[in-house]
Amino acid sequence: MVLFHISKKNILYNLWIDTCVDIKNTACLFDLEVNFKKDLKNPDAKEYLRKLQIELLAMYDQAYELDKVKHQASFVARLKQYIDLFPNDPISAKSRKRLFGVYFSVKNYKEALPLIEEVYKAEPNAENAQKLLLSLFELGEYDKILADNVYTKYDNSEILDIKREASLKSAMQNADKGNFDKYENDIKIYLSTNPSEEKSKVIYVDYFKKLLELQFYEKFKVEWEKLTSGFKVKPEFNGVKGLFFDKTLNDGNFLKMESLWSYGSDKGLNEKIFINKFNMPIKRI
């Protein structure tokens, strides 16, 4: 008799839920939800609640799509409630993705990040990695992007773009802070991502000027000599050459740069000269 009673009760609850859904009677669904929540220790009641909340999620999702501003808060609350009550349920995995999308769409990256981290942990793939790194980027967490090897796992141009832009942003920040070592590391990461020639020239010019201003002449020489001869003659580097010319003479370091300066004589002028190998004008001494 007990088994029959429980079976009959199950049928009635299922019919009740289905009827409320069919006629779209939210008040009816809310009443059922309250009753089921009072009896969560009962496995049957919790399963009814799960089924009921799936139906409510679908209704709230539909309302959200019709008016995202009006229904965002209630939809977010529904998603969170389902995840909290049924964290290991397959629908919760989908709900985390949906909640991440809602937060990301309104630029609430602080709330979006932990969600996409959970999603990526469960489903480590290029799509989720891109979303995770993009969230970090929007939060200005450039160091975490550059320190994490997640982007090396995937042949993905979008992930490479994030890495490239993060290294550039980080380089700018470290330059402003006067942290040359980190700036230099960021620059090298940026150049390793194969940026366009135009952007590469801008970065190299900035890097070489900083080396010269800091009087890192030996490092400047090493890095300069890594460039191809065709790249070095680009007009964008004229400012670097001029700065090198002035700095090495004013600092008295030109004699230490034999690979970049040549000491000889000018027969026509009958005097000794230094000629820099940047093909800049000669300097008489």
Side-chain angles (χ1 to χ4, degrees), residues 169-193:
K169 292 279 189 180
S170 182
M172 293 168 62
Q173 287 184 349
N174 284 314
D176 291 340
K177 294 175 183 176
N179 193 332
F180 178 80
D181 289 341
K182 286 189 175 181
Y183 161 83
E184 183 179 41
N185 184 62
D186 294 335
I187 288 300
K188 291 187 175 181
I189 292 175
Y190 178 84
L191 293 170
S192 74
T193 64

Side-chain angles (χ1 to χ4, degrees), residues 64-81:
Y64 172 74
E65 288 300 321
L66 291 173
D67 191 334
K68 293 182 178 180
V69 175
K70 181 178 179 180
H71 298 293
Q72 178 187 311
S74 57
F75 183 42
V76 164
R78 273 287 155 193
L79 288 167
K80 285 184 172 181
Q81 184 179 148

Side-chain angles (χ1 to χ4, degrees), residues 188 204 221-228 232:
K188 291 187 175 181
Y204 270 120
K221 179 178 70 174
V222 171
E223 297 299 330
W224 178 260
E225 290 176 348
K226 289 179 182 179
L227 300 184
T228 62
K232 295 175 185 177

Side-chain angles (χ1 to χ4, degrees), residues 68-270:
K68 293 182 178 180
V69 175
K70 181 178 179 180
H71 298 293
Q72 178 187 311
S74 57
F75 183 42
V76 164
R78 273 287 155 193
L79 288 167
K80 285 184 172 181
Q81 184 179 148
Y82 192 91
I83 293 168
D84 289 342
L85 285 170
F86 310 100
N88 300 317
D89 189 79
I91 300 298
S92 286
K94 294 181 179 179
S95 296
R96 288 187 188 94
K97 292 180 182 179
R98 191 74 171 103
L99 187 54
F100 164 79
V102 173
Y103 281 138
F104 196 87
S105 68
V106 295
K107 301 182 179 181
N108 188 347
Y109 306 115
K110 185 177 180 180
E111 296 289 346
L113 180 59
L115 288 163
I116 195 60
E117 286 176 332
E118 286 190 61
V119 170
Y120 179 78
K121 185 177 181 180
E123 298 178 49
N125 56 44
E127 180 182 358
N128 291 331
Q130 180 185 340
K131 292 175 180 177
L132 193 160
L133 292 173
L134 193 55
S135 299
L136 287 171
F137 182 87
E138 295 295 350
L139 287 169
E141 299 284 356
Y142 309 125
D143 285 346
K144 289 184 180 180
I145 294 173
L146 301 178
D148 199 330
N149 66 354
V150 70
Y151 49 77
T152 64
K153 299 177 183 178
Y154 310 101
D155 183 15
N156 183 300
S157 59
E158 286 82 7
I159 288 177
L160 187 63
D161 288 342
I162 297 170
K163 177 186 174 185
R164 180 184 299 121
E165 293 306 311
S167 60
L168 183 57
K169 292 279 189 180
S170 182
M172 293 168 62
Q173 287 184 349
N174 284 314
D176 291 340
K177 294 175 183 176
N179 193 332
F180 178 80
D181 289 341
K182 286 189 175 181
Y183 161 83
E184 183 179 41
N185 184 62
D186 294 335
I187 288 300
K188 291 187 175 181
I189 292 175
Y190 178 84
L191 293 170
S192 74
T193 64
N194 299 316
S196 67
E197 181 179 293
E198 290 304 311
K199 290 184 177 179
S200 294
K201 285 186 290 189
V202 172
I203 296 304
Y204 270 120
V205 167
D206 184 73
Y207 176 48
F208 286 138
K209 285 184 175 181
K210 281 184 171 54
L211 288 174
L212 292 172
E213 287 164 357
L214 294 170
Q215 300 181 25
F216 293 162
Y217 297 120
E218 289 302 325
K219 181 173 284 191
F220 172 82
K221 179 178 70 174
V222 171
E223 297 299 330
W224 178 260
E225 290 176 348
K226 289 179 182 179
L227 300 184
T228 62
S229 57
F231 197 63
K232 295 175 185 177
V233 298
K234 301 290 184 181
E236 287 83 357
F237 290 103
N238 287 342
V240 174
K241 297 172 184 179
L243 182 60
F244 167 79
F245 185 94
D246 293 336
K247 292 290 289 184
T248 51
L249 283 176
N250 293 334
D251 295 341
N253 283 288
F254 52 89
L255 287 175
K256 299 178 182 179
M257 304 291 291
E258 293 179 359
S259 64
L260 298 173
W261 284 93
S262 177
Y263 181 60
S265 60
D266 188 318
K267 294 181 180 179
L269 296 173
N270 193 29

